[in-house]
Amino acid sequence: MTDVLALANVESSYGPIRAIRGVSLTVKKGQIATVLGSNGAGKTTILKTISGILDPTKGTVTFKGEDITAKDPALIVQRGLSHVPEGREVFPLLSVHDNLLMGAYTRKDRDGVARDIETVYGYFPILRERAKQDAGLLSGGQQQMLAISRALMAAPEVMLLDEPSLGLSPRLTREIFEIVIRINRERGTTLLLVEQNANMALNVADHGYVLENGRIVMEDSCERLREKDDIKEFYLGMKESGVRGERRWKKKKTWR
């Protein structure tokens, strides 16, 4: 598989605060990759930097072999990369149907847009039922479905997903991730997933990166990451018992 998305030594800041430091990662075509990390580690900053919302202070972002570093977000969407932001950010005063059309605003193929609307209604039938309803009146889970569907309406080759399970029940989280897997398998869409639910992320993704204090500290296939003691302890809740485990939990994490 070829690399479709790559970051090379990328740094991004919010004012004087460096949020990510020297981040390098690659995502292969057709793959689901995930970035794990605690709150404030810099996961969302990585996605914002890729999609052009935040300009990096250093490094390069490459998409399909083209340097898209600090390009206009609309241009990046036209190139085939969509971003589902944390917190959904649907257009609350627009209907569900109009939100979907907003996702397709860069497209000129009306027939293709109509087909893709039917496709996303197939993924999330509740959206068909609520098509004329204002998006702001949807439940949190339905808004997440709409946010994913709106991103799909741009017909992306790569989709960035930021915390899709945030605030959702376990049942809804499973439903969302089942559709994420279908999107990857049926449409061939490459996915870069940021997710605090490490167990779910490692189960659906192919390759994973662990981010701590803005730096990548570990990467491997998700199958191998699940077996690493540090991942089990700090991300999957499988802490060691007894005094030794308590002592290790309080210490600064040392990655093997």
Side-chain angles (χ1 to χ4, degrees):
M1 288 190 287
T2 58
D3 294 341
V4 67
L5 179 65
L7 277 68
N9 199 29
V10 170
E11 297 189 358
S12 292
S13 302
Y14 299 99
I17 301 171
R18 275 197 300 171
I20 55 173
R21 306 159 182 251
V23 168
S24 296
L25 61 81
T26 57
V27 183
K28 296 188 180 302
K29 185 177 177 61
Q31 186 182 61
I32 301 178
T34 188
V35 179
L36 306 178
S38 59
N39 277 331
K43 304 185 303 296
T44 292
T45 302
I46 290 176
L47 300 193
K48 286 183 175 180
T49 302
I50 293 169
S51 62
I53 297 171
L54 183 65
D55 291 349
T57 56
K58 183 179 178 182
T60 57
V61 180
T62 306
F63 177 52
K64 296 189 296 184
E66 177 187 356
D67 186 349
I68 61 166
T69 311
K71 297 285 188 184
D72 183 85
L75 180 63
I76 292 173
V77 171
Q78 289 177 322
R79 292 288 191 272
L81 190 148
S82 290
H83 184 180
V84 182
E86 180 182 12
R88 295 119 200 178
E89 296 187 13
V90 298
F91 299 103
L93 300 182
L94 296 182
S95 69
V96 167
H97 181 76
D98 286 346
N99 266 268
L100 295 176
L101 291 179
M102 287 294 289
Y105 79 98
T106 62
R107 298 174 60 178
K108 307 298 183 186
D109 56 327
R110 289 188 177 183
D111 291 343
V113 169
R115 284 194 300 271
D116 281 347
I117 286 178
E118 288 302 309
T119 297
V120 299
Y121 283 159
Y123 287 140
F124 302 111
I126 190 64
L127 297 183
R128 186 192 298 274
E129 296 177 26
R130 305 291 172 85
K132 296 181 180 180
Q133 182 175 324
D134 287 353
L137 300 177
L138 299 178
S139 69
Q142 291 163 2
Q143 287 188 18
Q144 185 64 72
M145 295 174 188
L146 179 57
I148 292 171
S149 298
R150 183 182 61 193
L152 282 174
M153 289 303 301
E157 294 180 50
V158 173
M159 191 158 64
L160 312 178
L161 282 172
D162 194 351
E163 301 281 8
S165 74
L166 185 68
L168 302 186
S169 68
R171 179 182 63 81
L172 275 174
T173 296
R174 286 193 297 272
E175 288 181 14
I176 293 289
F177 274 95
E178 285 171 4
I179 298 301
V180 166
I181 293 170
R182 283 185 62 190
I183 290 168
N184 173 253
R185 291 177 179 172
E186 295 175 7
R187 299 172 66 99
T189 306
T190 303
L191 296 160
L192 178 58
L193 167 69
V194 157
E195 180 56 62
Q196 283 233 1
N197 187 333
N199 189 51
M200 185 69 74
L202 290 172
N203 279 328
V204 304
D206 304 298
H207 197 83
Y209 296 86
V210 179
L211 190 70
E212 183 182 323
N213 296 325
R215 298 183 186 277
I216 300 290
V217 295
M218 184 187 298
E219 72 159 295
D220 211 331
S221 71
C222 288
E223 183 179 5
R224 287 193 287 267
L225 283 175
R226 283 195 299 268
E227 299 306 314
K228 292 183 182 293
D229 290 340
D230 292 313
I231 298 297
K232 290 180 179 179
E233 180 174 351
F234 296 113
Y235 290 97
L236 303 181
M238 303 176 185
K239 293 189 288 186
E240 296 179 28
S241 59
V243 175
R244 179 171 174 266
E246 185 78 10
R247 195 179 299 126
R248 284 194 69 217
W249 179 256
K250 291 179 180 178
K251 289 197 309 181
K252 176 177 172 60
K253 298 188 284 293
T254 302
W255 300 95
R256 296 189 179 93

